Amino acid sequence: MRVHERGVGETMSCGTGVVATAAAYRARTGFDGQIDVTVPGGSLTVTFDGDEARLTGPAVIVGRGEFWI
């Protein structure tokens, strides 16, 4: 899956998009197992329990910042 976010361009991943893609695949095919989705940032896994979804995969900090008021 690839993601293009308005104002940013292509991004490495999108958790919401990955789960939506897996849910659409599940609804269309009736597949009821673990679904692996590959994005430019790596591979993510979506599992479903009824209408609930669980997204798992690697997480990496790509930036840090501080905001002082």
Side-chain angles (χ1 to χ4, degrees):
M1 184 191 93
R2 294 174 65 181
V3 177
H4 184 275
E5 295 191 44
R6 182 181 50 206
V8 178
E10 188 171 12
T11 60
M12 299 298 284
S13 187
C14 173
T16 304
V18 167
V19 173
T21 298
Y25 176 79
R26 179 180 182 222
R28 183 169 178 95
T29 66
F31 184 75
D32 196 30
Q34 170 180 303
I35 299 171
D36 296 321
V37 180
T38 302
V39 293
S43 188
L44 300 169
T45 301
V46 182
T47 52
F48 291 94
D49 182 10
D51 288 337
E52 294 183 14
R54 178 175 297 238
L55 174 65
T56 57
V60 177
I61 296 174
V62 295
R64 291 190 187 275
E66 292 184 21
F67 183 76
W68 297 89
I69 297 178

